[in-house]
Amino acid sequence: MNNENFNLSEKIVSSSYVRQGLQARRSHEQLIRVLLEQGKCPEERWSESTIELFLNELAVMDSNNFLGNCGVGEREGRVASSLVARRHYRLIHGIGRSGDIAAVQPKAAGSSLLNKITNSVVLDVLKLTGFEPVVIENVLEGDELRTNLEEVERKIEELGAKNILCVHSTTSCFAPRVPDRLEELAVLCAKHDIPHIVNNAYGVQSSKCMHLIQQGVRVGRIDAFVQSLDKNFMVPVGGAIIAGFDEDFIKEISKMYPGRASASPSLDVLITLLSLGASGYKKLLSERKELYSHLAQEVKALAERHGERLLHTPHNPISLAMSLNCLQTRSDQAVTQLGSMLFTRQVSGARVVPLGVEQTVSGHTFRGFMSHSDAYPCPYLNAASAIGITKEDISLCMKRLDKCLKSLRKEVSSENNESASPVESLEEQTVP
């Protein structure tokens, strides 16, 4: 409680008792203050009550614990089991952002602070090195961004199949990108004897994504596919499932881990699936599919009201996008401003993607970062119908998005009126 609440408590309980409680609270807060100031491991151990107070204070800063938060993304800190949520002190979002695990996560200020403090206390930094990535740009087909098969094959011939560790494809991506052409890639990998790993990040919840994998291995080569636990089973971030069609190969992967691993992800998934049962999980999958259609209808209607359109991406069964051309005609800043407005209104997961953003990852500079293309034709906003989403989430998101777009249009109208001369304004009013 803050000082104001302690003062109010004195009207209910003896002030002397309340002051004792306030003093005890300040003792905990002093320890937390020193930790935040110095970033060092405390000389004396903390009590469990201090640790729990600190973790609870951090958790309140994460968007999944905001009062009135609505999430329309594929990773929204949804947890099916309250037991699992309590076990993690409701710190569900994990850390980092795409392309930078050390970056502050906007939806999780508390978890990000926890990560920074932990790194400061631990002091040890591990530097990982890896193979050089070769990025094959997607090609634009209508509104969709799809696999450039010709370029993949050309690159294989150029580099030589023996020099390629693996082809890394994906089923799970933000619209307007759609799942890779897994069947054709699998055939190429079989032809050239190249391992093929599939990023199936949130594909388990989609029968279409799983079918692509099944078809790929039927006609060609898929060695393993990897999926997130949090995105598919509604548990905290931090675990994944590696699956494949060759039992011996999967066993070899398990032998590569250099030591023991945490049982935490296994425990979370077990608790969750026991809590849901097979019928409960299948019900969530069915509801997710129905709500995708509902989300698409709502976004389409909203887009049309604002002179925009729902991008046509039928090959993406989870994520969708609407254009933001009207905002782009004003400035890039107006596009990014929409994202900020949504975030401050507690709409998480709705990604606003402006034109021309650059980001360097492992030495490779991505132009048009987040849009999966060097030059996508328009800025856009996307949202996802992921497992655990509700009709209320969609309704609230559409209402807040509508208000934000109206507010930005008013700003544009106001700026235009201010820049017009008196004569021009008079003409505008009199011309039929």
Side-chain angles (χ1 to χ4, degrees):
M1 291 194 296
N2 56 28
N3 288 341
E4 183 180 355
N5 287 337
F6 272 109
N7 291 335
L8 291 173
S9 299
E10 292 182 354
K11 298 178 181 180
I12 304 171
V13 178
S14 170
S15 60
S16 60
Y17 299 153
V18 172
R19 282 195 294 272
Q20 283 183 323
L22 177 58
Q23 185 59 42
R25 167 81 183 209
R26 285 175 176 166
S27 297
H28 294 295
E29 290 176 342
Q30 173 65 11
L31 293 173
I32 295 171
R33 184 186 66 78
V34 171
L35 175 64
L36 294 173
E37 269 185 355
Q38 300 179 357
K40 296 180 179 179
C41 187
E43 187 67 29
E44 302 296 330
R45 70 180 186 89
W46 282 12
S47 68
E48 288 186 4
S49 56
T50 303
I51 295 171
E52 289 183 336
L53 174 64
F54 181 46
L55 295 177
N56 285 325
E57 293 279 324
L58 293 176
V60 170
M61 298 168 65
D62 284 5
S63 65
N64 60 292
N65 300 313
F66 291 173
L67 298 178
N69 185 65
C70 69
V72 289
E74 87 295 341
R75 175 181 283 174
E76 294 306 311
R78 304 182 186 104
V79 173
S81 169
S82 59
L83 181 59
V84 170
R86 291 196 303 273
R87 198 172 84 82
H88 289 269
Y89 293 91
R90 296 173 288 114
L91 291 160
I92 310 302
H93 269 296
I95 58 171
R97 304 193 72 183
S98 298
D100 187 357
I101 196 171
V104 172
Q105 169 54 246
K107 291 188 284 189
S111 293
S112 298
L113 179 56
L114 174 68
N115 179 47
K116 298 290 186 182
I117 289 295
T118 302
N119 288 344
S120 179
V121 169
V122 172
L123 295 176
D124 295 323
V125 177
L126 297 177
K127 296 183 178 178
L128 303 177
T129 59
F131 291 90
E132 179 184 351
V134 176
V135 180
I136 306 298
E137 292 295 331
N138 296 294
V139 290
L140 186 64
E141 296 181 10
D143 286 336
E144 293 183 325
L145 289 162
R146 308 209 67 185
T147 314
N148 189 338
L149 292 170
E150 291 183 1
E151 181 60 17
V152 171
E153 187 155 29
R154 191 195 69 78
K155 206 67 178 178
I156 290 173
E157 297 291 345
E158 176 189 325
L159 298 173
K162 291 183 179 180
N163 296 317
I164 298 173
L165 175 67
C166 72
V167 168
H168 187 193
S169 62
T170 184
T171 64
S172 305
C173 47
F174 299 121
R177 184 178 177 182
V178 300
D180 282 326
R181 299 182 188 271
L182 289 198
E183 290 183 50
E184 294 91 333
L185 288 174
V187 169
L188 276 177
C189 288
K191 173 184 173 183
H192 294 282
D193 193 26
I194 299 173
H196 184 191
I197 308 299
V198 180
N199 172 15
N200 192 43
Y202 46 91
V204 174
Q205 59 191 280
S206 167
S207 57
K208 185 172 183 177
C209 290
M210 298 306 290
H211 177 70
L212 288 173
I213 293 172
Q214 292 169 348
Q215 286 295 101
V217 78
R218 185 180 65 81
V219 299
R221 177 172 180 174
I222 293 180
D223 295 81
F225 53 102
V226 185
Q227 37 273 307
S228 298
L229 290 181
D230 65 296
K231 295 185 180 82
N232 296 288
F233 298 100
M234 296 192 295
V235 296
V237 170
I241 295 173
I242 301 175
F245 301 91
D246 183 338
E247 185 177 352
D248 290 336
F249 179 67
I250 299 301
K251 284 181 178 178
E252 286 301 314
I253 293 175
S254 69
K255 293 176 183 177
M256 293 175 66
Y257 193 82
R260 296 186 182 183
S262 171
S264 182
S266 297
L267 183 58
D268 291 340
V269 172
L270 179 61
I271 292 171
T272 298
L273 293 180
L274 290 177
S275 300
L276 289 171
S279 60
Y281 188 67
K282 286 188 285 188
K283 183 172 181 286
L284 286 173
L285 296 181
S286 176
E287 290 172 350
R288 185 214 70 79
K289 196 171 185 178
E290 291 175 6
L291 287 171
Y292 175 83
S293 298
H294 178 65
L295 176 62
Q297 291 170 3
E298 291 293 304
V299 172
K300 182 179 181 181
L302 178 67
E304 289 174 351
R305 289 200 300 273
H306 291 274
E308 302 291 351
R309 65 187 184 89
L310 174 67
L311 300 181
H312 185 60
T313 55
H315 291 94
N316 195 320
I318 297 175
S319 177
L320 48 79
M322 66 172 276
S323 66
L324 294 175
N325 282 313
C326 290
L327 295 183
Q328 183 64 39
T329 57
R330 178 188 170 196
S331 67
D332 291 335
Q333 187 176 359
V335 176
T336 55
Q337 187 179 351
L338 175 61
S340 299
M341 292 173 72
L342 289 171
F343 183 72
T344 57
R345 286 157 180 78
Q346 300 181 9
V347 176
S348 59
R351 299 166 67 253
V352 172
V353 182
L355 300 177
V357 176
E358 291 192 1
Q359 175 77 27
T360 300
V361 180
S362 297
H364 183 90
T365 298
F366 291 90
R367 294 174 179 82
F369 187 68
M370 296 193 300
S371 69
H372 314 287
S373 169
D374 280 352
Y376 194 74
C378 68
Y380 56 84
L381 174 145
N382 59 16
S385 174
I387 188 169
I389 194 172
T390 66
K391 249 187 177 178
E392 291 72 23
D393 287 329
I394 296 172
S395 176
L396 199 52
C397 173
M398 293 301 103
K399 183 183 297 185
R400 293 175 181 175
L401 176 57
D402 187 42
K403 286 184 177 179
C404 290
L405 289 171
K406 286 178 180 176
S407 175
L408 286 171
R409 288 176 67 183
K410 284 181 180 178
E411 288 184 22
V412 173
S413 177
S414 176
E415 289 175 3
N416 290 339
N417 288 337
E418 288 176 4
S419 62
S421 68
V423 174
E424 289 171 332
S425 297
L426 179 61
E427 288 174 349
E428 288 170 4
Q429 293 171 20
T430 56
V431 174

